[in-house]
Structures are given as structure tokens and as C-alpha cells.
């Protein structure tokens, strides 16, 4: 193995490795790879080998290399620098040893040395055996003389032992009988103790169960107390709610009665007011009509008065113009000015009249608009009345829905409380059942079952049916029998196929959890059992009574198929006696096997695996159903919460809408009232405008008369006097005016009276009567009177009162039921406490009885131990007596104890005479005789093995002789061929030297390898002493010894010998380290050509890895690597052949330059010396 640690610059190297990569294209290595990487790693504390990154031993590496053709007997695949010089300096004896190594004779020599060593050891043992045999024969002669006296002594000793045997045997028989009786008593006592302990355990188990039940009952009673406290609080709240509802209803009823009375009074008042309004309106209409008449009469009188005054003024003016004005022109000027002022006043009055007429038209339009607006507002009021009715209906519906949802939620809460109580109780019972089930299943099986279920869910496996106990239904009367038959097989898991089972097994092994036995249905082979039919229904196959699905019947038959269930023990024994190939079992669990063994006894069904598992599964299903019910109730509560939230929103929205509509209704009524007020005000304005128009018309008429009078006067002659007619008119006008003034005053007085009556009636009607009517109507519309919302509010309050009464009744009912349950639980606790006390007393009594029985058993155990020790001692004494013949035993068998003791004393007196006798003489004689025979047998075996070892040594010598001669022939032949190839015209041969004997003269040579091989008859080690090399480097010259050759020639001979050895056992590659260092240039070329030919050989091609500093081998190389040193670190690089040759030539020139210089300086030194 090549291993070099290179040192470079930097830190110290702690480990290094060398790796060789082999091309395995020809499958030389027995590995299924195209390349094989062999690495050796050396460190401070390790030296290890790896093949393809796999750690191996050195022996495995050697075996692998030998399998690829690297023989351990031929170590010349790797040739280092000193190896060639070493072979060149070898002596003939060393060359002979080399041939032995190449031929593999060391194995023979090692075996020969081992054989000789064994032969020497056996010879020593043979001599020891002969010495032992001699001493034993002498001892036998001495013992033979003591045999007669010993025989007499042995006869007496035999009698003594016979008597002692008879006495000891009788004593042993009595002791054994007493021991059997003690064992029987002990077994009975143990059975009673076991029964008592089992009863005590049952009592303790029942006590624990009762105490647990008491704890649960007390916890339940505590819960009931808390619930009663909560219900009491709820009842108090319900009472308060009921009292509040009753107060609200009473208040509402009182308010309604008061409102009804007020409404009745208001309706009466309203009716009276309406009648009074109608009367007042009639009076007002009559007064207005009278006022119009009086106003018209007053107007006529006023017109007449104005006409009379105007006529009087005209006549007066006409009568006094002449005295007033100096001329007619002055008068006319004055009249024209007065006429202009009148016309201007008439024009202004006319404009005022037009404005009043326009105002009247505007007021009429506004009045019409107000009337239309009032109609719209009345319609809007009617719509609002409908909206408020709808809003109140929605409010009532939302409130009813919210109350219903709240009631439903309360009911769901109560149901959830009951379910929580049931869940808590059932969960405690389930925990107990689960603990009991866990105790009934082996721990590893339990862990495996739980892991199987978890893995099935995780990996979503199908085809897993479950445990066998889950797949069948066992009748109650067959539980004990099925439990005994199946045992832990009940928990084997049934699967559809073996693939599913293997998958689960792998998953369980990977998880490392538990142990499970799987029953693949596709692999189950149920044997055909011949069931006995002569017993009818008294003995039937057990599996037929177990109910299961059709596809699982094979699994049930696999476990229960060989059992028949019998009516009673008698039938079971009859089935066993019939020889049927089945096992019989009774309903109580007693089993009779086919081989005749019977087992059974008391079976506690409370610990039954089937019942425990069934109870656990039943409670698990009930618990799951209860959880589902709880989830459903919780969902109902959540839905109720959502509905309550939604209905509360609807209720709030309806209430808000009702308030909004009421507010809008109030606003609408206020708007109607304002519109009505505006209408009355507008009507008053219209009447005032009409009155102003009448006044303005009168003033305009007056102005027009004055204008006409002034125009008439303007046309008259100022100087013309008053005519008689006019004077009569003037005289008549004054009294007429006075009369008209009196009439006008009287008419105004009457009109004012009528006007005062109209104003009074209007004031009373508008200010008092109509306002009061509006107030009553408004109060009625605002629900302040019956007919509004009070009846509905009272209905709501009555419904609230009814709900409060129902809630109170429900709370009281639940409280009563809870108190009844609490009383029942208290009675249950009392009963359980009494039962627990009784069980404690029974357990204490059982414990005392068990203790007493335990002491009795201990006494029996002590007596049993004493008797057993006595029996063992007697048996030991009987064994010490040795073997006795039947005659001696029969001789003393029928004798009594006294006779035996008397005979024993006599024999002992006789034996006392032989006190000096060697009692062991006979045994010693027999023992020594056996030893002599054994030693003689061993001596014969040693002599036989000595002969066989000599034969083996001869065979080994012969095989070694043949191997050395065969190797010598091959190496000698290869040496001749290789030397002829390396030295053209040369000759080389190997000569075997004979070993010199004492009688022979000194000889130098012997014959060549041919005749030596032919004459080889004896051992090679005795015949030859070495191998000599003789060569000739030119044709015709004689061969010379190796001592006469130069260093280069010796190197060439050593190389020829190495190549000859390598051709004996070719290898796939060789590693040479500067083998051409000492060769002459011409021989380097021949060596290189030889390597080229051997590398390209068709039969045994090989790879050569050579390190060199000369160009001859480089010229023949296929690939060249150069070692480059940089900073004290060496690196290997691939270079071209031309670069390599150029480098080597430069190195050779640099190496030869000093030699040439020395050669040139040598003649000069010689010349100087000559002078």
C-alpha cells in the first residue's frame, strides 16, 4: 500500500490519506461498480481503510486485492528505489528464499514446523503417560493384597446399610405421609385464604366503588346546592319581576280607568262643545247676516246723507260764489284747482282700490292653497295613523319574537345544564370503565392498539376492521366461556389483507409503540373440525352462538372454532371421553383439553375482558352521543342568541320607528292646527280687505260726485242766482240732512251693536270653543285618551305579567324537583354510607380472618419446611448408603423396628473389628484400573497421531519440493526470455546449487535447471542450497557470475529477475520508482520498449506507473505527470510529453555540465603535475 505524508509550509498536518482509483470495467474486482476507490487514512490515533467510502479491515482489503489478481506471494507489483539494488546484492541462498516466497512454500514450511512442534509435544505426553502407568501398576499390586479383608468388611457394611436403609425408608415414608397431609391442609387453607382474600378484595372494590359513588353523590349534592342557590336567586328575581309586572299592570289599569273616565268626560265635553260650537256658529251666521243688512242700510243712509250734503254744498256754493269770488274766471280757476285735487284724490283712491282688489285676489289664492295644504296634511295624518298602527304591530311582533327566543334560550340553558350534569356523571363512569379496560389489556398490547388507531387515522388506511371483541356479540351466559377461550386474542386486530397488516406493522415498528397481532382475513385458513353430534344441544360449537357479520366469521372460527360449549361439567367430561378432536368448555369456564388436562375454577365475571370492553365501548358511545347532544344544544343557544340579537334589533327598530311616527304624527297635527290658524287669520285678513274695499269704493264714489258737482258748477254761470226750485231744495235739504244724520247715527249704533255681537261670537268661537275642541282632539290623537295606545300597553304589560308568572312557576317547579333530587341524593348518600360501613366491617373481618389464616399457613409452611428438610436429610442419608440389591431390601423389609435396631447393633460390633481396613481399597483399585486403561488408550492414540504427523510432514515436504521446482522452472524460463529481450545477443540463466555434504568435495556448480528438476527425488532443503545467476552480455562469450558485473549490469540483471517473477503471476498494474536510475542509456531504451510491449500484450495487458528522470521511459509513456514545487508545497500536474522531454534534457545538461568541466580541467592538472 502506497502511503506518503507530504510536509509543506503552514500548520502541521494531523491526518493524511492516499487514494487509489481502479478501473473495474472488466469486472476484475467482485463489485458491481465501474470504479473502485481504495483509500487509506492515517492520523495521530487512527489507521483505517475504506472501499467506496465504506470502512473495511486490512484483511478485507488484502482479500479484495487477491481476488483481483494481486497475489500476496508475489510482492513485486510495487518496486521501490532500493528494491533493485537489494536484489542485485542478493546471495544465492537469498534468491532461493525469494523463489520459495514466490512459489508459496512458506505455507508448507509453517505447517511443517507446526507439525514437528505438535509431534514433540505428543512425544513428551507419551513419556509422561508411561511413567503414570508404571506407578499405577505398582499401586494396583498393593491394593490387590487388601482385597480379601476388604470383601469381608464390605459384606458386613452391606448388611449395616441394608438395616439402616430399612429404618431410614420407614422414617422417610412416615415423614412424606405427614408432609403430604400438611400440604393438603395447606392447600385447603390457601384455598380458603384465597377465597377470603377474594371476598375481601371484592368488598374493597365494592367499597371503593361505593366511596366513589358517595364522592360523586356529594359532588352532585354540592352541585344541587349551588343550583338551588342559583334557582333561589332566580326565584327571587322572578318574584321581583312578577311584583313589578303586577305593579305595572295595576298602574296601567288605573291609568286606563282614569283615562277612560277622562275620555268619557272629554267626549261629553267635546259633544257639548260641538253642540255649543254649532249654536254659536248659527248665531254668528245670523249676526253676520244681520250685520251685512245693517251695514247695507247704513251705507244707503250714508249715501243719501252724502248726496244731500253734496247737493246742499252745491247749492250753498252756488249761492255764495258771487260773494266769494270777484269774477267767474277766478271762480273757474278755483274750481279747476279744486277739481284737479279731487281728480288726483280719486285717482289715488282708484289705485288703492285696485291694490285692495289685488290683495283680495292674493288672499283668495292663498286661502285656496291653504285649503289644499290642509287637505294634504289631513291625508298625511291619516297615513301616519296607519303607519303608527303598523309600527305598533311590528313592535308587538318583535317583542313577542324576542320573548319567545329568550324563552327558548332559557329552555336550552336548562337542557344544557342537565346535559352537563349527565356528561360529568357519565364521564366519571367512563373513566372508571376505561381504567378497568386498561387493566384488563396487557400494557404493550394496549399501547399497540392505541397506536394502531392513531396511525389508521393519520394515514387514512382502509381495510382495518378493528379488534375481534368489537366485531362480535357475545350472549351474557357465554361471557365466562368466551373470556377463558379467547383471553388476549380478543384484542387481535382484524384486517382485510396481509398487505394492510404489514403496512401497520412497519408503521408500528417505525414509531416503536407497543405490540399488536393482526388477523388478515385473506390469509386465515380455518380447519374443518369434526364436532361431536351425539350430544345434541348439550354440546354445540361455541362460535355458532357468537353473533358477527358474515365476512368476520373466519376470524371468530380461528379463535373459537375448536371449542364446544357444554351444558354442564358432566357433558364436558363425556365429550372428552368420546375422543372428539375438540376442546370442551362449560358455561362457568371449566375447560377440558383434547389431551385430557382440566382447568377452571371460580371466575369473577366483574373482571371479564369482554364485559369490561363492552362497558367501555358502550359508555364511550353514550359519551359521544351526549357530546353531540351538547353540541346541538350549544348550537341552539348560539342560534337563539343570534335570533335574540336580531329580534332585539328589530324591536329597537320598531320602537324607534313607532316613536318617530308618533313624533311625525304630533308634528302633522301641529302643522294642521297651524294651518287652520293660518286659515282663520287669512280669512280675517280677507274680511278686513273686503271692508277696506267697501270703504275705498264709498270714498271713490264720494270723490266722483264731488267731481261731477264741481264740473257742473264749472259749467254754470257764477252770476246766475239760485232758482226757486233750488231754494226750496236748499230749504228742504237741511232738515233732510239732519234727519239722515239721525238715521245714520241710529244705523251706526245698531250696526255697532251687531258688530260687537259678531266679534263676541267669533271670539268665543275661535278663542274658546274651537281651541278647546282642538285640544281635546289633539289629546285623543296623542294616546292620552282610550282609543290610543294605552289598551295595547296594558295588553303588553299583562303579557309580561303572564310571562313572569310562568317563569316563576317554572323556577319553583325546578326548585321543587331539585329539592326532591337533593333529598334523593341525601338518602342515597345515607344508604351508601351505611353500606360502606358494612363493607368496612366485612373487609376488617376478612382482613383479620386472612391474617389468622396467614398465620396458620405460616405455621404449616414452617412445619412443611421442617418435614421437607427431614425428608431431604433422610433421602440424603439413603443416598449416602449407596446402591443396595433387592435381596437385601426384601430381607429387612418385613422386620420390626426393634429387630432392626438389634441387628444393627450386632453388625456394628462386628464392623468395629475392621477399623484398620482401607475402606477405599476397592474403589481405589477400580479407579486406578480405569486410569490405567485410559492412559493406555491415550498412549495408543498419541502413537497413531505421531505416525500421521510424520506422514503429513512427508507430504508437505513433497508438495513444497514440487512447488519450488515448478516455480524455479517458470522463473528460469522467464529470466532467459526477459534477459534476451533486454540484452540483444546476450544470455542469462538461473542455476540451482546443490547442498554440500560432509563426504563430498567442494563443488562450484551443478547441472542446469533441466536436469536438476529431473533428478529431484528428495527434500529440496536437503538437496539445494541456493540459486546462482550466470549471464553473458554478448554472443559467444561465456556466462559469468553476478559478482563480475558492473553496477548497471547488476541493475539490469535484477530488473530481468523482477520481470521474470512478475510474469509468473501477472497483475493489472505495476508501480516502479526510478528503476532506471542506475542503468546505462542503451539499457534504459530496452527496458522502456519491454514495458511498452508488456503494456500492449493481448493476453495480459498491464498498466505501468513509473517515476523517472530519464527521457527513454518518458518517450514510451501514454500520459505524463510533473511534480512542481512552489513555496515548499508539491503539486502534481498533467504535462505534455514534449514538455517533459525538454525538461529532462535541460536537467541532464545541467547535471552533465560540471562533469564536462572536470574532464576539461583534468589534462591541465596532469600537465602541471608533469612539469
Amino acid at each position: 500500500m502506497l502511503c506518503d505524508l507530504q510536509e509543506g509550509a503552514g500548520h502541521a498536518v494531523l491526518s493524511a490519506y492516499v487514494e487509489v482509483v481502479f478501473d473495474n470495467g472488466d469486472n476484475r474486482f467482485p463489485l458491481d461498480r465501474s470504479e473502485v476507490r481504495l483509500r487509506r487514512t492515517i492520523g495521530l490515533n487512527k489507521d483505517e481503510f475504506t472501499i467506496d467510502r465504506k470502512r473495511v479491515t486490512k484483511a478485507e482489503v488484502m482479500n479484495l486485492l487477491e481476488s483481483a489478481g494481486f497475489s500476496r506471494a508475489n510482492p513485486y507489483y510495487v518496486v521501490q528505489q532500493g528494491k533493485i539494488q537489494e536484489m542485485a546484492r542478493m546471495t544465492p541462498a537469498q534468491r532461493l528464499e525469494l523463489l520459495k516466497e514466490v512459489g508459496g512454500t512458506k505455507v508448507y514450511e509453517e505447517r511443517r514446523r507446526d507439525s514437528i512442534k505438535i509431534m514433540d509435544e505428543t512425544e513428551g505426553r507419551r513419556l509422561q503417560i508411561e511413567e503414570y502407568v508404571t506407578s499405577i501398576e505398582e499401586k494396583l499390586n498393593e491394593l490387590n493384597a487388601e482385597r480379601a479383608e476388604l470383601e469381608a468388611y464390605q459384606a458386613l457394611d452391606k448388611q449395616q446399610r441394608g438395616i439402616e436403609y430399612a429404618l431410614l425408608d420407614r422414617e422417610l415414608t412416615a415423614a412424606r405421609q405427614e408432609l403430604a397431609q400438611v400440604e393438603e391442609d395447606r392447600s385447603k387453607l390457601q384455598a380458603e385464604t384465597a377465597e377470603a382474600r377474594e371476598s375481601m378484595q371484592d368488598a374493597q372494590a365494592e367499597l371503593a366503588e361505593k366511596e366513589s359513588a358517595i364522592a360523586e353523590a356529594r359532588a352532585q349534592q354540592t352541585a344541587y346546592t349551588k343550583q338551588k342557590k342559583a334557582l333561589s336567586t332566580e326565584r327571587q328575581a322572578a318574584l321581583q319581576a312578577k311584583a313589578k309586572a303586577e305593579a305595572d299592570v295595576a298602574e296601567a289599569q288605573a291609568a286606563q280607568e282614569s283615562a277612560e273616565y277622562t275620555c268619557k268626560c272629554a267626549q261629553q265635553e267635546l259633544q257639548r262643545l260641538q253642540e255649543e260650537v254649532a249654536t254659536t256658529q248659527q248665531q254668528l251666521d245670523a249676526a253676520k247676516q244681520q250685520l251685512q243688512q245693517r251695514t247695507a242700510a247704513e251705507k244707503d243712509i250714508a249715501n243719501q246723507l252724502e248726496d244731500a250734503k253734496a247737493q246742499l254744498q252745491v247749492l250753498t256754493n252756488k249761492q255764495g260764489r258771487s260773494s266769494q269770488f270777484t269774477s267767474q274766471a277766478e271762480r273757474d280757476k278755483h274750481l279747476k284747482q279744486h277739481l284737479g285735487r279731487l281728480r288726483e284724490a280719486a285717482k289715488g283712491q282708484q289705485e288703492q282700490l285696485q291694490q285692495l282688489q289685488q290683495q283680495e285676489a292674493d288672499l283668495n289664492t292663498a286661502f285656496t292653497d291653504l285649503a289644499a295644504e290642509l287637505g294634504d296634511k289631513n291625508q298625511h295624518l291619516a297615513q301616519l295613523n296607519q303607519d303608527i298602527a303598523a309600527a305598533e304591530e311590528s313592535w308587538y311582533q318583535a317583542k313577542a319574537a324576542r320573548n319567545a327566543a329568550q324563552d327558548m334560550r332559557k329552555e336550552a340553558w336548562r337542557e344544557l345544564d342537565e346535559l352537563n350534569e349527565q356528561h360529568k356523571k357519565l364521564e366519571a363512569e367512563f373513566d372508571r370503565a376505561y381504567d378497568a379496560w386498561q387493566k384488563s389489556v396487557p400494557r404493550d398490547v394496549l399501547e399497540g392498539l392505541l397506536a394502531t388507531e392513531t396511525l389508521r387515522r393519520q394515514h387514512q388506511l382502509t381495510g382495518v376492521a378493528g379488534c375481534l371483541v368489537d366485531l362480535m356479540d357475545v350472549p351474557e351466559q357465554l361471557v365466562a366461556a368466551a373470556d377463558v377461550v379467547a383471553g388476549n386474542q380478543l384484542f387481535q386486530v382484524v384486517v382485510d389483507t396481509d398487505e394492510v397488516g404489514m403496512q401497520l406493522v412497519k408503521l408500528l415498528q417505525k414509531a416503536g409503540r407497543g405490540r399488536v397481532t393482526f388477523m388478515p382475513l385473506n390469509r386465515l385458513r380455518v380447519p374443518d373440525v369434526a364436532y361431536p353430534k351425539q350430544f345434541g344441544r348439550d354440546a354445540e360449537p361455541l362460535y355458532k352462538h357468537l353473533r358477527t357479520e358474515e365476512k368476520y366469521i373466519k376470524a371468530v372460527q380461528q379463535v373459537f372454532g375448536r371449542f364446544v360449549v357444554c351444558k354442564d361439567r358432566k357433558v364436558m367430561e363425556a365429550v372428552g371421553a368420546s375422543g372428539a378432536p375438540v376442546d370442551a368448555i362449560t358455561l362457568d369456564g371449566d375447560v377440558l383439553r383434547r389431551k385430557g388436562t382440566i382447568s377452571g375454577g371460580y371466575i369473577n365475571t366483574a373482571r371479564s375482558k369482554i364485559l369490561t370492553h363492552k362497558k367501555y365501548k358502550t359508555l364511550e358511545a353514550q359519551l359521544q352521543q351526549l357530546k353531540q347532544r351538547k353540541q346541538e344544544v350549544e348550537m341552539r343557544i348560539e342560534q337563539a342568541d343570534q335570533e335574540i340579537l336580531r329580534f332585539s334589533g328589530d324591536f329597537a327598530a320598531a320602537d324607534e320607528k313607532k316613536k318617530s311616527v308618533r313624533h311625525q304624527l304630533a308634528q302633522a297635527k301641529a302643522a294642521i292646527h297651524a294651518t287652520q290658524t293660518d286659515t282663520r287669520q287669512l280669512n280675517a285678513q280677507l274680511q278686513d280687505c273686503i271692508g277696506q274695499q267697501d270703504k275705498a269704493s264709498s270714498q271713490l264714489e264720494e270723490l266722483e260726485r264731488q267731481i261731477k258737482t264741481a264740473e257742473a258748477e264749472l259749467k254754470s254761470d257764477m252770476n246766475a242766482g239760485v232758482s226757486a226750485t233750488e231754494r226750496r231744495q236748499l230749504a228742504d235739504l237741511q232738515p233732510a240732512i239732519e234727519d239722515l244724520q239721525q238715521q245714520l247715527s241710529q244705523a251706526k249704533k245698531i250696526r255697532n251693536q251687531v258688530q260687537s255681537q259678531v266679534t263676541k261670537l267669533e271670539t268665543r268661537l275661535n278663542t274658546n270653543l274651537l281651541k278647546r275642541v282642538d285640544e281635546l282632539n289633539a289629546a285623543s290623537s296623542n294616546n292620552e285618551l282610550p282609543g290610543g295606545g294605552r289598551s295595547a300597553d296594558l295588553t303588553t304589560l299583562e303579557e309580561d305579567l303572564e310571562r313572569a308568572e310562568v317563569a316563576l312557576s317554572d323556577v319553583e317547579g325546578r326548585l321543587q324537583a331539585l329539592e326532591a333530587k337533593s333529598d334523593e341524593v341525601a338518602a342515597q348518600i345515607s344508604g351508601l354510607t351505611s353500606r360502606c360501613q358494612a363493607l368496612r366491617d366485612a373487609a376488617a373481618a376478612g382482613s383479620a380472618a386472612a391474617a389468622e389464616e396467614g398465620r396458620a399457613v405460616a405455621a404449616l409452611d414452617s412445619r412443611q419446611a421442617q418435614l421437607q428438610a427431614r425428608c431431604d436429610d433422610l433421602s440424603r442419608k439413603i443416598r449416602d448408603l449407596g446402591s443396595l440389591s433387592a435381596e437385601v431390601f426384601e430381607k429387612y423389609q418385613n422386620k420390626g423396628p426393634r429387630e432392626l435396631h438389634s441387628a444393627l447393633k450386632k453388625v456394628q460390633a462386628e464392623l468395629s473389628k475392621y477399623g484398620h481396613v482401607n475402606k477405599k481399597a476397592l474403589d481405589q483399585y477400580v479407579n486406578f484400573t480405569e486410569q490405567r486403561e485410559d492412559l493406555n488408550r491415550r498412549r495408543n492414540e498419541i502413537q497413531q497421531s505421531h505416525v500421521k504427523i510424520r506422514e503429513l510432514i512427508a507430504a508437505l515436504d513433497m508438495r513444497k519440493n514440487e512447488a519450488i521446482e515448478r516455480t524455479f522452472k517458470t522463473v528460469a524460463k522467464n529470466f532467459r526470455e526477459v534477459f534476451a529481450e533486454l540484452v540483444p545477443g546476450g544470455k542469462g540463466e538461473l542455476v540451482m546449487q546443490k547442498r554440500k555434504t560432509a563426504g563430498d568435495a567442494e563443488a562450484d556448480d551443478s547441472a542446469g535447471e533441466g536436469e536438476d528438476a529431473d533428478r529431484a527425488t528428495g527434500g529440496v532443503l536437503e538437496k539445494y542450497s541456493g540459486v546462482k545467476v550466470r549471464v553473458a552480455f554478448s554472443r559467444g562469450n561465456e556466462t559469468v557470475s553476478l559478482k563480475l558485473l558492473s553496477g548497471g549490469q547488476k541493475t539490469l540483471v535484477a530488473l530481468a529477475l523482477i520481470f521474470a517473477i512478475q510474469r509468473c503471476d501477472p497483475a493489472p498494474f505495476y508501480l516502479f520508482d526510478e528503476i532506471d536510475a542506475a542503468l546505462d542509456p542503451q539499457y534504459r531504451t530496452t527496458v522502456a520498449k519491454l514495458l511498452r510491449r508488456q503494456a500492449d500484450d493481448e493476453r495480459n495487458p498491464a498498466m505501468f506507473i513509473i517515476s523517472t528522470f530519464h527521457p527513454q521511459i518518458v518517450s514510451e509513456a501514454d500520459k505524463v505527470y510533473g511534480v512542481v514545487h512552489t513555496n515548499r508545497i508539491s503539486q502534481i500536474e498533467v504535462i505534455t510529453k514534449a514538455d517533459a522531454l525538454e525538461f529532462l534534457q535541460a536537467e541532464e545538461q545541467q547535471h552533465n555540465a560540471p562533469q564536462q568541466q572536470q574532464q576539461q580541467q583534468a589534462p591541465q592538472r596532469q600537465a602541471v603535475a608533469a612539469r
Side-chain angles (χ1 to χ4, degrees), residues 412 415-416 419-420 422-423 426 619-639:
E415 186 176 356
L416 183 61
L419 290 176
N420 285 330
Q422 295 177 10
H423 182 270
L426 189 61
L619 290 175
E620 184 181 29
Q622 293 178 359
L623 193 61
Q624 190 64 28
Q625 292 177 359
L626 197 59
K627 287 181 179 179
Q628 292 179 357
R629 287 181 58 191
K630 282 180 62 179
Q631 290 177 357
E632 292 174 358
V633 174
E634 288 173 353
M635 290 179 61
R636 282 167 49 195
I637 291 174
E638 184 177 357
Q639 292 176 358

Side-chain angles (χ1 to χ4, degrees), residues 772-786:
R772 180 58 181 165
V773 168
D774 292 338
E775 289 177 355
L776 293 174
N777 290 329
S780 175
S781 61
N782 285 331
N783 289 333
E784 295 179 0
L785 299 177

